[in-house]
Amino acid sequence: MLKITVEKSQRDPSDTPWWWISGDTYPHRDTLKRWGGRWSKRQKRWYLIGNDLPDAVQTLIDDVKAKSDDDQSQSEMSDDDFEPRSVEEASAILGVPIRELAHKNQVVAQQETAEITAESPDDAPKIRVIKPNFDVSDGEPDAVTTAIR
């Protein structure tokens, strides 16, 4: 969720106020620079000095706040959202077809059958073993040859 906070600080009523802008400001750094914003390395946030924020900066903050409010309202879940759904309802919500799995006992039986057939010697996969060549004519063996030995 994008969020930007604005804080006004003013030490004395006769001083010009400082506006501190923090949060997810990186995508908006060009706009903030263009309208007089400066980055504070120490505080890790933007600041502008003036009685009011420039209109473009205020519009930017309002837009981000409105988008953040929309995202939050959409992400709020009701109690109905936690109830179990049927396959058809889940398919409609997700927008993709969903296959129902076979009964749990059938899946277990299929796995046991697969394990039994894989253990029979005729169906076992063939493995070809190649003897490594350790003849090193140029002196030192490489790391792979040393590890194999």
Side-chain angles (χ1 to χ4, degrees):
M1 171 184 359
L2 300 175
K3 186 175 181 183
I4 292 181
T5 57
V6 179
E7 179 185 330
K8 180 180 176 182
S9 69
Q10 190 172 12
R11 293 183 183 175
D12 190 307
S14 62
D15 290 342
T16 306
W18 286 45
W19 298 88
W20 293 94
I21 304 171
S22 60
D24 190 20
T25 58
Y26 188 79
H28 311 291
R29 66 190 182 282
D30 293 333
T31 303
L32 292 168
K33 279 186 207 177
R34 187 178 309 128
W35 293 97
R38 293 185 179 186
W39 178 253
S40 170
K41 288 182 183 179
R42 194 176 87 202
Q43 297 216 6
K44 300 203 183 322
R45 56 185 180 164
W46 292 91
Y47 67 93
L48 287 100
I49 303 171
N51 291 325
D52 296 315
L53 285 172
D55 291 336
V57 174
Q58 187 62 50
T59 303
L60 168 81
I61 293 166
D62 293 340
D63 290 347
V64 170
K65 186 176 187 305
K67 183 173 169 81
S68 175
D69 292 343
D70 288 346
D71 290 346
Q72 185 177 6
S73 66
Q74 289 177 359
S75 67
E76 291 176 0
M77 299 178 77
S78 66
D79 291 338
D80 292 341
D81 292 334
F82 295 105
E83 294 296 318
R85 303 286 183 176
S86 68
V87 174
E88 292 81 18
E89 289 174 323
S91 179
I93 290 170
L94 297 173
V96 294
I98 298 176
R99 289 185 309 164
E100 287 191 55
L101 294 177
H103 190 270
K104 185 177 178 180
N105 293 338
Q106 292 174 347
V107 174
V108 172
Q110 290 172 357
Q111 289 175 349
E112 290 172 357
T113 305
E115 290 172 6
I116 292 169
T117 56
E119 291 176 3
S120 64
D122 296 335
D123 295 338
K126 307 285 188 243
I127 298 174
R128 182 176 178 198
V129 179
I130 301 172
K131 184 176 180 182
N133 184 6
F134 292 118
D135 182 30
V136 181
S137 58
D138 60 342
E140 289 287 320
D142 64 347
V144 174
T145 305
T146 304
I148 293 172
R149 282 186 182 173

